[in-house]
Amino acid sequence: MRILLKVSGEQLGYDEGGKGVGFDVERAKWIAREVKKALGNSEDTASATQIAIMVGGGNFVRGAFFGNNNEIGQTTADNAGMLATIINATLLGDIFKSEGVPTAVLSNVSVPQVVDDFTYRRAESHFRKGRVIILGGGTGRPLVTTDTGAVNLALELKCDFVAKATKVDGVYTADPTTDPSATKIDQISYADAINDTKIRVMDKAALGMAGDNKLPIVVFELLQDGNIARVAAGEQIGTRIA
């Protein structure tokens, strides 16, 4: 089983006013231990669960926010956002290693003094050695979200599905934080997830790419003990988009 885990930058930060900012080392250590549970104890790296993680950068820079500023161009804003994801990836990589999780950090933006460049062959080599791959730099191009980058990477690495970690336990008919009548959806089609304007759990372009390639997406709550392992084991939690 090979999984692409998408973790937003905000989920790596300290909670301030409902948003994650900075880098919370204790939160990162907890995520590392949860990923370790999902990897299992198999010594056969060929049959073990393999996990690649695409990280966002919103705890430091949100390209969409700065791109709305007349003094900062969208390309510059997105480039800053990609650099923020590299900060998260490199910090997270050290945390994972400190928690006993074999890890390789790669980037789609070339910063050779800081992190190795991503290539398909390099990623496959790390998988064969039993390492978790953490990817920074998004797709390496502006105007593309890390959600779309996650789907793109999952397709390139032939992952079985994308596990999208969120603050809530799945997809709802409306925003459950503002609409008490919102109800959870256990399974939904790509087309319905794209066409329903109330569903904003993932970038529509990312959903379209997943649908075109029949790549399932599981939307689940990150901050519950054992949830990453449950998703990796194929348990029915969260919402499945397929």
Side-chain angles (χ1 to χ4, degrees), residues 7 11-12 27-35 96 222 228:
V7 177
Q11 290 169 321
L12 300 175
R27 170 72 60 78
K29 288 166 66 175
W30 183 87
I31 292 172
R33 292 191 291 268
E34 290 298 300
V35 168
F96 271 49
L222 174 65
I228 295 175

Side-chain angles (χ1 to χ4, degrees), residues 58-69:
N59 51 326
F60 292 121
V61 176
R62 294 190 65 84
F65 174 79
F66 282 103
N68 291 325
N69 185 309

Side-chain angles (χ1 to χ4, degrees), residues 14-222:
Y14 299 98
D15 188 5
E16 289 189 11
K19 293 184 178 181
V21 297
F23 188 89
D24 186 340
V25 171
E26 293 305 315
R27 170 72 60 78
K29 288 166 66 175
W30 183 87
I31 292 172
R33 292 191 291 268
E34 290 298 300
V35 168
K36 192 173 184 178
K37 293 177 188 176
L39 295 174
N41 299 314
S42 175
E43 295 182 359
D44 180 5
T45 56
S47 62
T49 299
Q50 298 175 331
I51 298 177
I53 302 174
M54 168 75 78
V55 292
N59 51 326
F60 292 121
V61 176
R62 294 190 65 84
F65 174 79
F66 282 103
N68 291 325
N69 185 309
N70 291 332
E71 287 77 25
I72 301 175
Q74 188 64 60
T75 296
T76 300
D78 287 348
N79 285 339
M82 285 188 284
L83 292 175
T85 70
I86 296 172
I87 294 172
N88 280 332
T90 54
L91 294 175
L92 201 59
D94 273 17
I95 294 292
F96 271 49
K97 291 171 186 174
S98 75
E99 292 294 323
V101 182
T103 306
V105 179
L106 303 174
S107 171
N108 268 327
V109 174
S110 185
V111 195
Q113 286 182 287
V114 178
V115 61
D116 290 335
D117 290 347
F118 171 85
T119 69
Y120 173 80
R121 292 185 301 277
R122 183 172 282 158
E124 286 292 339
S125 175
H126 286 307
F127 274 141
R128 287 194 296 272
K129 294 170 183 174
R131 295 170 183 153
V132 170
I133 295 170
I134 301 177
L135 187 77
T139 63
R141 306 300 304 170
L143 308 176
V144 181
T145 68
T146 50
D147 277 350
T148 301
V151 172
N152 182 274
L153 180 66
L155 291 169
E156 182 174 1
L157 294 179
K158 299 179 176 62
C159 294
D160 294 285
F161 63 92
V162 172
K164 163 82 172 180
T166 67
K167 295 180 180 179
V168 293
D169 61 343
V171 175
Y172 280 73
T173 53
D175 186 346
T177 62
T178 59
D179 186 347
S181 67
T183 56
K184 182 172 172 287
I185 302 168
D186 292 329
Q187 181 150 339
I188 188 171
S189 69
Y190 301 109
D192 287 344
I194 292 169
N195 294 327
D196 191 334
T197 57
K198 293 182 180 179
I199 295 176
R200 300 176 181 176
V201 72
M202 200 170 201
D203 183 83
K204 300 297 185 181
L207 290 170
M209 183 185 295
D212 287 344
N213 292 276
K214 295 181 172 56
L215 175 70
I217 299 169
V218 177
V219 180
F220 74 103
E221 186 176 5
L222 174 65

